[in-house]
Amino acid sequence: MPGFELVGKEERDSVNELFDDGGILFAHGFDALRNGRYRVREFEKAFAEKVGVKYAQAVSSGTAALKVALFAAGIRPGDEVITQTFTFIATVEAIIDLGAKPVLVNINETLNLDPVEFEKAITPKTKAVIPVHMLGVACEMDKISEIAKKHNILIVEDNCESLGAEWDGSYLGTKSDVCAWSFDAGKVIITGEGGMVTTNSEDIYKFAKEYHDHGHESNPAFPRGRDTRRIYGFNYRMSELQAAVGLAQLKKLDFIVQKNRENYGIWYDGLKEIKGIQFRKIPALSKPLCDCLIFQVESRERAHKIVAEMAKEGLGTKNVPDAIEWHFAKYWDHMAVAFGKTKDELIRFTEPSANQLDRSIAIPIMVKHDSEIIERNLEKLRNILKRV
Ligand SMILES: Cc1ncc(COP(=O)(O)O)c(C=O)c1O
């Protein structure tokens, strides 16, 4: 992980500079009072350049980014949108909030969308698929893209968790129709709350821009108070404060990713000889973010015991299993009706995913841990794995 470990002088300076420049916290207007600086615009430009896309639209959260991305891509009530059972709940909430139908697909041993199941779930109503690159590792984008192309389905990536990870030499999230990113408190870079929608399509960008801002077209022929509109929208805007923090954090991205990979290497080397554990499958073209190392054991019961022992030794996990209820559709019976299932059907349907997740343990990789701390934690974990 993550940006929160590195919040410091640069973020404070960036915010102070914003106040020195007039303290305008709104992304638009107040032209005479802001010393020519528009931080949200600067953050969008810097982000687009960094990840390698034509357009970036900053928004108020990753959840908002998903909803704006789906709307901008043309998802409307009644459309079906396929996504995976293992994701943060927001992916499904965004689909439901637009009046579309979320269609669940189980994960495979990559712990991401199973392409075979994806193809089986397609119906004449399917408009889009949301592959979610969970915990730093890419979905199998080659297979997913091929299937989506064959069936004329849009790809809306949820890359809220994996900024910095790559697919086939490019940043993940930059080659599909549109992508949603998050900068919430636990993400790779943070802005407090915040998100981004990126795309290479001018059309999608324009809809995203308008939808996230009450339909404002930002028509240069008119002042904002007389701006034109063609669609309704909402307020999903990012503030200048968030963008000021984001600008400082973005400069730390390369360092964060590099440290993740270094520290992951130490963890991996320290565990690779252990019998009875298996590492998460990583697709060949995926270069992971390495903010988390996931291994599996042979049974749920053993995983459960290992995690209980880890807790006694002060070793935590990252979402799997400590926050699994928020990341696995099996537990979302309050939304079962949206999936067109009963509670029992939901549990039965998600069993193949449960079989993967219940045996998985995700170790968080911390940027600020030095090799001494990691070796100490590794020793604790190795001892647990020997005795449990
Ligand atoms: C996969 C995924 N999608 C969407 C989100 C939502 O992002 P936010 O918390 O910024 O709304 C998250 C955040 O946890 C996430 O992990």
Side-chain angles (χ1 to χ4, degrees), residues 60-66 87-91 132-134 158-161 181-185 187 193-195 319 327:
S60 50
S61 69
T63 310
L66 281 160
T87 180
F88 182 57
I89 198 166
T91 317
V132 189
H133 311 298
M134 285 299 280
D158 180 339
N159 200 24
C160 287
E161 296 198 356
W181 314 72
S182 165
F183 312 122
D184 79 19
K187 294 301 184 284
E193 297 280 4
N319 295 348
H327 292 84

Side-chain angles (χ1 to χ4, degrees), residues 210 215-220 222-224 226-230:
E210 291 162 31
H216 270 280
E217 285 187 291
S218 300
N219 189 328
F222 299 97
R224 190 167 163 84
R226 294 260 174 271
D227 201 2
T228 49
R229 66 206 78 83
R230 59 178 171 151

Side-chain angles (χ1 to χ4, degrees), residues 172-247:
L172 202 51
T174 58
K175 298 287 176 224
S176 59
D177 294 291
V178 56
C179 181
W181 314 72
S182 165
F183 312 122
D184 79 19
K187 294 301 184 284
V188 186
I189 66 167
I190 67 164
T191 59
E193 297 280 4
M196 196 73 80
V197 177
T198 59
T199 179
N200 290 307
S201 152
E202 191 180 358
D203 243 21
I204 291 180
Y205 168 66
K206 280 186 175 162
F207 277 119
K209 191 172 181 53
E210 291 162 31
Y211 184 65
H212 100 290
D213 185 19
H214 301 296
H216 270 280
E217 285 187 291
S218 300
N219 189 328
F222 299 97
R224 190 167 163 84
R226 294 260 174 271
D227 201 2
T228 49
R229 66 206 78 83
R230 59 178 171 151
I231 56 164
Y232 72 92
F234 212 73
N235 178 0
Y236 294 116
R237 291 186 299 255
M238 178 179 272
S239 82
E240 293 286 280
L241 265 174
Q242 291 164 303
V245 175
L247 281 163

Side-chain angles (χ1 to χ4, degrees), residues 264-274 279 375 378 382:
Y264 181 99
I266 303 174
W267 274 97
Y268 183 81
D269 287 344
L271 292 174
K272 68 180 181 211
E273 305 297 345
I274 306 270
F279 295 101
E375 289 295 352
L378 258 169
R382 277 193 297 253

